Amino acid sequence: MFNKKTAESLAIQLECICKHNPDLSQNVGNVKHDMLEALDMKSKISSPELRRLNQVLFATRAFDLGLKTFLLAADVEIDNRSRHIRGYLSYLKNHNSDFYHRMNGDIANRIETTIVYDRNRLVHVAGQYPTHRDVDTILQNVGDYLSVVISLKK
């Protein structure tokens, strides 16, 4: 289950990867902040529907920034047109690096299906809001797949 301890652990692992580049510490802080915000929306938004929607947004934003930060730590020059989850996944599965192992294409496809597709389905349909189960699933997938990305470090 994705919880505060998991979020903090992932942030610490990402911070260790980025320690050679102090400019990335702000990114790591933002990843941690967004993951914790996704977990703790109860007191900030009174509407349960909007709270769940924001949890999905914060979780997927944390994942997006986590991928970007990992690639920046690897000194990858990210093309402006590739500054999104699918673009980051393309770098991870198609580019050779001394910093990280290539991502398996099946894993990249699962990330697209379970994070990108689900986020778009949950966020972009007017009048429809994520259920508690949707939020739990997105949070779990974000934690699991950010851990997979971090494990690619050589």
Side-chain angles (χ1 to χ4, degrees):
M1 178 172 174
F2 188 78
N3 55 33
K4 183 178 178 180
K5 186 175 181 179
T6 304
E8 289 174 344
S9 174
L10 289 169
I12 289 169
Q13 291 173 58
L14 192 56
E15 189 173 40
C16 289
I17 288 171
C18 298
K19 66 184 173 191
H20 72 280
N21 187 341
D23 294 337
L24 295 178
S25 64
Q26 177 71 37
N27 283 15
V28 174
N30 289 339
V31 170
K32 180 179 178 181
H33 173 267
D34 287 354
M35 285 191 291
L36 294 175
E37 282 293 310
L39 290 167
D40 186 34
M41 285 276 162
K42 291 176 181 68
S43 62
K44 297 182 176 150
I45 299 174
S46 58
S47 165
E49 294 86 7
L50 293 177
R51 184 180 324 124
R52 291 191 302 269
L53 184 64
N54 273 290
Q55 285 179 284
V56 169
L57 289 170
F58 272 95
T60 56
R61 186 170 75 174
F63 185 74
D64 183 299
L65 186 56
L67 291 176
K68 177 183 175 183
T69 302
F70 183 85
L71 289 168
L72 291 174
D75 293 325
V76 172
E77 290 188 32
I78 303 168
D79 183 309
N80 281 337
R81 293 171 299 184
S82 299
R83 292 183 182 270
H84 49 80
I85 294 174
R86 283 188 178 119
Y88 302 144
L89 292 173
S90 177
Y91 280 100
L92 289 170
K93 68 181 183 178
N94 296 321
H95 291 85
N96 292 323
S97 172
D98 293 334
F99 185 83
Y100 61 86
H101 298 282
R102 277 185 170 185
M103 177 179 276
N104 177 300
D106 289 338
I107 292 172
N109 290 339
R110 276 187 273 159
I111 291 171
E112 279 198 45
T113 302
T114 60
I115 295 178
V116 177
Y117 173 77
D118 284 352
R119 178 211 47 210
N120 292 344
R121 177 181 58 83
L122 296 168
V123 173
H124 296 299
V125 177
Q128 183 177 347
Y129 296 95
T131 64
H132 290 290
R133 184 174 180 199
D134 292 330
V135 171
D136 290 343
T137 301
I138 287 278
L139 288 170
Q140 188 64 48
N141 287 333
V142 163
D144 290 348
Y145 287 121
L146 189 54
S147 180
V148 167
V149 170
I150 289 169
S151 74
L152 296 175
K153 170 83 170 81
K154 287 184 179 177

